């Protein structure tokens, strides 16, 4: 399928203290790995306006993040929680990530179909309506979902979260809006400690698939088929959004699952097939986690190559 790669070069402006796992080398690793993949076209993200963020976040949250960045100044850092730190340019990066996701939605709706992969940091899926957390400032995928629902008038959207961590912030959106299906495969127990099977949202629009430490790719694929696919088929969303974290990879230092590069190609193939089955072949994936740079680059490239082949 036509595959647009949306690049957010402002990702490099989001600097973090030395030793932080969510460093700018992650962006560079993916950018280099995605160069020259056949069948892809590149576009560049612009910044999301505050009103787009405020379709998911509270205005107080947006103000708090923007103010902290302004106060960090040229050389400083400000911690919003023990893991989540900003510098003076972090707002520019986070606004560009959200803008890129919105542009991804606009692209697949304008073209009538297609796949988008957004290369941006910081990640977003832990950010709650009124709380930055887990390296995340603004919830990129939730903002994109609200843009699809409110600006394009889609009747429903799905967020499929394949990051090794549970997307607690994105789940908040489904818990308040029955037009959203949130389905997540994640390691449990693990940060942030949410994502239990008993969390089912509004009449079942939250589907959590917690997986034990050590789960390999075969078991991960089986869980996807058994639990995520039926939820998508039942919901028939008009657009599939993917929180594409690559930290379920066996080489990742923060996760304990055992996926390999080929599992991400498989996931992209399955998601593209499901999108063509009922979501008008509209599939927008946004980068979340992935903290071993070589594995991250290879996995993201495998994912994008599979999209372009689909
Ligand atoms: Zn993660």
């Amino acid at each position: 399928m036509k595959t647009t790669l949306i690049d957010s070069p402002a990702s490099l402006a989001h600097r973090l203290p030395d030793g932080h796992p969510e460093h700018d080398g992650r962006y560079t690793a993916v950018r280099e790995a995605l160069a020259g993949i056949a069948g892809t076209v590149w576009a560049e993200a612009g910044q999301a306006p505050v009103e787009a963020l405020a379709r998911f976040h509270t205005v107080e949250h947006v103000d708090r993040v923007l103010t902290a960045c302004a106060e960090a100044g040229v050389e400083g850092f400000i911690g919003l929680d023990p893991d989540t730190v900003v510098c003076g340019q972090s707002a520019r990066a986070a606004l560009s990530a959200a803008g890129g996701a919105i542009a991804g939605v606009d692209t697949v709706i304008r073209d009538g179909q297609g796949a988008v992969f957004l290369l941006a940091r910081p990640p977003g899926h832990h950010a709650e309506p009124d709380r930055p957390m887990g390296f995340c400032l603004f919830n990129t995928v939730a903002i994109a979902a609200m843009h699809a629902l409110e600006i394009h008038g889609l009747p429903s959207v799905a967020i499929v979260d394949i990051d090794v961590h549970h997307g607690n912030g994105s789940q908040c959106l489904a818990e308040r809006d029955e037009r959203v299906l949130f389905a997540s495969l994640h390691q449990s127990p693990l940060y942030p400690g949410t994502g239990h099977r008993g969390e089912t949202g509004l009449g079942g629009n939250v589907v959590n698939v917690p997986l034990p430490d050590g789960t390999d790719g075969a078991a991960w694929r089986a869980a996807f088929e058994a639990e995520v696919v039926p939820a998508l088929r039942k919901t028939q969303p008009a657009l599939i959004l993917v929180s594409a974290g690559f930290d379920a990879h066996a080489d990742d230092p923060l996760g304990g699952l055992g996926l390999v590069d080929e599992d991400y190609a498989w996931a992209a193939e399955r998601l593209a097939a499901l999108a063509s089955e009922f979501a008008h072949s509209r599939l927008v994936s946004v980068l979340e986690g992935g903290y071993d740079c070589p594995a991250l680059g290879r996995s993201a490239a495998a994912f994008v190559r599979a999209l372009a082949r689909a």
Side-chain angles (χ1 to χ4, degrees):
M1 61 205 301
K2 181 188 173 191
T3 300
T4 304
L5 306 177
I6 300 184
D7 184 17
S8 172
S11 299
L12 289 170
H14 176 53
R15 292 179 303 104
L16 295 174
D18 287 348
H20 197 290
E22 205 287 283
H23 57 81
D24 58 9
R26 301 179 58 248
Y27 166 85
T28 306
V30 178
R31 184 69 183 79
E32 290 174 356
L34 298 187
I37 294 182
T40 60
V41 294
W42 285 89
E44 192 160 310
Q47 295 197 359
V50 168
E51 59 262 34
L53 276 56
R55 293 188 188 103
F56 174 71
H57 291 291
T58 63
V59 172
E60 292 75 18
H61 169 89
V62 176
D63 284 346
R64 181 182 169 211
V65 172
L66 298 182
T67 301
C69 295
E71 290 176 351
V74 176
E75 294 292 333
F77 298 111
I78 290 183
L80 300 174
D81 76 13
D83 302 317
T84 311
V85 179
V86 297
C87 72
Q89 295 296 312
S90 298
R92 190 159 69 84
L95 291 171
S96 179
I102 287 170
V105 171
D106 291 342
T107 298
V108 298
I109 291 177
R110 178 197 67 211
D111 294 348
Q113 61 168 32
V116 166
F117 183 87
L118 170 66
L119 166 54
R121 57 181 286 275
H125 71 153
H126 295 305
E128 296 188 345
D130 61 355
R131 181 162 66 143
M133 64 181 277
F135 316 159
C136 302
L137 304 178
F138 302 131
N139 193 316
T140 304
V141 80
I143 292 164
M146 287 305 295
H147 179 78
L149 294 168
E150 296 295 320
I151 301 304
H152 292 290
L154 297 191
S156 60
V157 301
I159 299 172
V160 178
D161 191 323
I162 62 170
D163 190 277
V164 79
H165 303 98
H166 178 243
N168 57 292
S170 309
Q171 179 169 308
C172 290
L173 178 60
E175 286 173 339
R176 74 185 193 196
D177 195 323
E178 61 190 8
R179 297 173 295 178
V180 178
L181 169 70
F182 175 72
S184 175
L185 294 160
H186 49 271
Q187 184 180 336
S188 180
L190 189 68
Y191 181 90
T194 50
H196 303 290
R197 287 187 178 278
E199 300 163 22
T200 56
L202 305 171
N205 71 336
V206 170
V207 175
N208 281 315
V209 186
L211 299 166
D213 186 20
T215 298
D216 66 7
W220 190 93
R221 294 184 192 197
F224 183 97
E225 291 292 348
E227 307 202 52
V228 176
V229 172
L232 287 167
R233 289 221 168 97
K234 182 173 166 217
T235 305
Q236 305 264 313
L239 165 70
I240 299 177
L241 298 160
V242 182
S243 268
F246 297 94
D247 43 10
H249 195 284
D251 293 348
D252 196 90
L254 300 192
L257 300 193
L259 273 63
V260 296
D261 306 0
E262 291 73 27
D263 292 312
Y264 291 103
W266 179 89
E269 274 170 31
R270 289 298 289 128
L271 288 160
L274 291 159
S276 71
E277 188 179 321
F278 46 72
H280 312 279
S281 291
R282 298 167 177 155
L283 182 63
V284 176
S285 302
V286 305
L287 178 64
E288 300 280 3
Y291 301 97
D292 178 79
C293 285
L296 170 62
R298 293 194 316 269
S299 300
F303 189 89
V304 167
R305 273 193 213 99
L307 292 179
R309 276 198 309 264

